Amino acid sequence: MLGDISALFERDLNRLIKEIQSYDDEATLWKIEPGISNSAGNLTLHLIGNLNHFLGKGILNSGYVRERDKEFSDKNVPREKLISDVREVIMMIKNAMNNFSVEDLEKNFPIEINNTTASAHRTIMHLYGHLNYHLGQINYHRRLLS
């Protein structure tokens, strides 16, 4: 089960990498048009921060300190840095799932989401859905601006 969870995150984070690579140029990654709240670059930073915070810190006790505001205010991070950071997240998730047990899924997750305590299973499923929500936004952003 945990291997399946890890594999799904890996698959979709690799899709994120492909989306980032598919932009015609780096500037478009950071472009915002009317009606678009966040650039693909900022959504990528947000996903990196979110997963490092909840899975890295929450499961691995990585000590990751999230700066959520910077996920949306930083600009023009090089494409290769974004890709490298996403690859590190993939490795972190593999490590987290290897250090987690099926029994741990039923326990309360150590970090609340939206001021709500939930089981680790529910929290991980929430994080997976969150990843795919923003992955879809990034895909749409790329196709809209390309």
Side-chain angles (χ1 to χ4, degrees):
M1 177 179 210
L2 295 170
D4 290 338
I5 292 169
S6 180
L8 288 170
F9 273 102
E10 181 176 5
R11 180 195 69 189
D12 294 340
L13 286 165
N14 279 317
R15 287 179 177 165
L16 174 58
I17 290 170
K18 285 185 178 158
E19 287 294 336
I20 294 167
Q21 291 169 331
S22 295
Y23 275 81
D24 294 333
D25 57 68
E26 286 192 25
T28 308
L29 272 167
W30 301 96
K31 194 172 181 181
I32 297 175
E33 293 287 331
I36 299 174
S37 301
N38 297 299
S39 70
N42 287 114
L43 290 172
T44 300
L45 291 174
H46 174 59
L47 289 168
I48 292 165
N50 178 272
L51 293 168
N52 272 309
H53 175 71
F54 286 104
L55 298 180
K57 182 179 180 181
I59 294 175
L60 295 173
N61 297 311
S62 66
Y64 181 81
V65 177
R66 187 174 190 188
E67 297 179 80
R68 191 175 188 281
D69 290 343
K70 289 182 75 176
E71 295 168 14
F72 296 99
S73 64
D74 281 357
K75 303 291 180 214
N76 302 315
V77 175
R79 181 186 336 227
E80 287 308 313
K81 170 76 169 128
L82 293 174
I83 292 169
S84 172
D85 288 352
V86 172
R87 286 187 175 129
E88 287 180 19
V89 168
I90 291 169
M91 297 310 298
M92 177 274 298
I93 291 172
K94 285 181 179 182
N95 190 20
M97 293 301 109
N98 285 336
N99 286 289
F100 213 58
S101 71
V102 173
E103 293 78 26
D104 290 332
L105 290 173
E106 299 308 316
K107 296 177 185 173
N108 283 342
F109 197 76
I111 301 173
E112 291 182 345
I113 294 182
N114 301 323
N115 299 315
T116 302
T117 300
S119 70
H121 183 258
R122 181 183 172 121
T123 300
I124 291 167
M125 295 309 299
H126 170 86
L127 295 171
Y128 182 68
H130 178 260
L131 163 63
N132 276 280
Y133 176 77
H134 289 311
L135 179 58
Q137 288 181 312
I138 291 166
N139 174 268
Y140 184 72
H141 179 270
R142 180 185 56 76
R143 290 182 293 117
L144 186 67
L145 298 180
S146 292

